[in-house]
Amino acid sequence: MSAREIRLFGDPVLKTVSEPVGIIDDRIRGLVEDLLDSVRLPGRAGVAASQIGVNLRAFSYNVDGRIGYILNPVIVELSGEPELVDEGCLSVPGLWFPTMRYPFARATGIDLDGAEIEVSGTGVMAQALQHETDHLDGLLYLDRLDKPARREAMKQVRESDWF
């Protein structure tokens, strides 16, 4: 398989709630390969299936040398005091805004064998788990910004050369 093109802000798939992965077949195995190939590129902490145009609950991650994926992820624990962390998104290239995120996150889901798996972490991993799960729920990090920051973000999106 191969790294796939990332869908950009304005593409309706990014605002669509993703469907659960059902039967794990060659199509799903190919999707996971594409997600892993796509997240291995430099500067990428996570890629949600919706970002490559697939409306299924799956994402890959690449944090601190840990590369993996999770199907049908559910955030089961968020802890610590939420804090503002600089956040960007491959679907909103070049823009970074402080976003409220919990410092610890734990998600459960399944792997390609249908076995339950758990992914957890602090710092960038916690942020990636929250960010990618948001994608699967049809949310972009811009949706989490307070009104003044969101207004500024939308102004920058409109002025960007990719929009």
Side-chain angles (χ1 to χ4, degrees), residues 37-135:
D37 288 347
S38 298
V39 83
R40 282 189 174 99
L41 296 176
R44 296 184 174 185
V47 175
S50 55
Q51 289 183 283
I52 60 172
V54 179
N55 187 29
L56 289 172
R57 295 191 75 78
F59 67 78
S60 58
Y61 55 87
N62 181 358
V63 178
D64 298 328
R66 228 173 119 189
I67 297 173
Y69 70 93
I70 187 167
L71 305 176
N72 296 334
V74 175
I75 299 281
V76 294
E77 181 183 357
L78 296 169
S79 63
E81 194 63 35
E83 56 194 17
L84 285 173
V85 292
D86 282 339
E87 193 158 322
C89 180
L90 298 170
S91 294
V92 190
L95 300 183
W96 291 81
F97 287 91
T99 306
M100 290 297 279
R101 295 291 185 190
Y102 286 88
F104 175 82
R106 183 166 57 98
T108 60
I110 59 172
D111 64 15
L112 286 172
D113 296 321
E116 186 168 317
I117 58 172
E118 179 180 293
V119 181
S120 64
T122 59
V124 175
M125 180 60 87
Q127 187 178 2
L129 292 172
Q130 293 167 79
H131 181 104
E132 301 310 326
T133 302
D134 276 353
H135 272 301

Side-chain angles (χ1 to χ4, degrees), residues 1-2 4 19 21 25-38 47-50 52-60 69-71 112:
M1 297 290 155
S2 62
R4 303 258 299 267
E19 296 291 327
V21 171
D25 56 15
D26 287 343
R27 184 177 72 105
I28 300 302
R29 284 187 275 283
L31 169 63
V32 168
E33 283 184 46
D34 287 352
L35 286 168
L36 291 170
D37 288 347
S38 298
V47 175
S50 55
I52 60 172
V54 179
N55 187 29
L56 289 172
R57 295 191 75 78
F59 67 78
S60 58
Y69 70 93
I70 187 167
L71 305 176
L112 286 172

